[in-house]
Amino acid sequence: MTHDAAPHGAGTGHVKSTSGSGPESGTAGEVRRLTTRETAGLLGVKPETVYAYVSRGQLSSRRAPGGRGSMFDAAEVEALARHTGRREHSPAAGDLTFRTGITLIEHDRYYFRGVDATELARHHGYEEVAEWIWTGELRPDVHFRAPAESLTAARRTVAALPAHSGPTDRLRVAVAAAAAADPLRFDLSPRGVLSSARGLIPTLVGALPVRGEEAGDGDRLARRLWPRLSGRPVDAAALTVLDTALALLADHDLAASTLAARVAASAHAHPYAVVSAGLGVLEGPLHGAASGLAHRMLSEVLERGAAAPVVADHLRTGRRVPGLGHRLYTGEDPRARLLFALLADLPRAAPALEAARDVVATTARHTPLHANVDLALAVLSVACGMPAEAGETVFAVSRTAGWIAHALEEYAEQPLRMRPSGQYTGPRPPQPLPSPPGADPAI
């Protein structure tokens, strides 16, 4: 079927008459008519659903001038909107603006459900922050526990991977194993999704290889994650930094991985598949893996004794200096600011923290870029004897909570609403049937 192109300003939640001076323009005494796209916007449905209303006799239509598309009686549409209760605008195909009540970023600060996220992370652990962004309720001292069957399946699957596998490789297969072990994974009710999420996150942590002394299941998630990141013993100050980092990274509006997660949820993929979609994007060096680049840079700064030659090497080879700048903040990333403050209370972090400050100061001579959270994660990983990929692991485990929160929102929306149209740039048809290489075109 042919869908009408939405005129400028259409689909904003109010009825707008079609343009032109003919009888469809809604002049006095004449029927006001809407295009298919305008009708879909007012009803909060996909254009295909509009034609379903016509086939059921709930709307009447007539051909648009020129014979392309259909026009609908505005009064009928408004009456149907009142009857169905759908009065809010639903984004049209290709519109990537989403209603979300999870994270707001403005004025170099960010908020979880209206609460300053840095203050929330300063006073509450990761699991409490996750519950807050999921439900809007604070559950003091909540602890997530992995179902035994899911954890066993995830550990066996991760153990079968090659030794050179990275953390995201392990997390992806752990998610798949946990999904296979959960027969209720297709329950997309909020209660079902949250039950899966509360078991999945500790399963991801528990499936990772152990480097140090393993924590008990009753400990908070940060304590259970630590021996998967470092072979060194943890103290209270270091554990606070890790737990705060997890809480700070739980969500950050519609980052690339979160958009992928919402697309999966829009297709009503189960929550494990939603997390898999997010992990698939996270592995790129421009998103969750960026802290590994910053880790290697700080290690080189410490080895060479100064940031200047290291920064110069990056600039000479056309590489950006990792851990600096963020498109959403004009100043320092608020997540980095809090983590740096906590790292200052960790004596072993002093050399790496000084190296990070040297990088910022050296780069600022030419470009005034501020530290972002990747640089703060790199300070933590370098200072505590963690591998370069540790920040990526922290990011992935933490952001799982945000992906689940966005999935909960998306499950409540019209399914498959994200369907942009491609702009075809290939050869115009009809083209001749292709021939195998070397074949005689005359045969």
Side-chain angles (χ1 to χ4, degrees), residues 10-31:
T12 56
H14 63 278
V15 177
K16 178 180 178 181
S17 61
T18 56
S19 60
S21 58
E24 305 300 324
S25 62
T27 54
E30 295 178 328
V31 174

Side-chain angles (χ1 to χ4, degrees), residues 139-203:
R139 297 179 58 197
D141 301 319
V142 63
H143 294 292
F144 298 159
R145 287 177 172 80
E149 188 174 353
S150 294
L151 183 57
T152 299
R155 282 176 169 170
R156 286 176 177 170
T157 309
V158 169
L161 291 176
H164 65 266
S165 301
T168 307
D169 295 323
R170 297 186 176 101
L171 292 173
R172 281 203 305 265
V173 300
V175 171
D182 183 2
L184 302 180
R185 62 188 180 275
F186 296 105
D187 179 1
L188 302 188
S189 68
R191 181 175 180 177
V193 171
L194 290 179
S195 177
S196 296
R198 293 179 183 120
L200 173 60
I201 294 175
T203 296

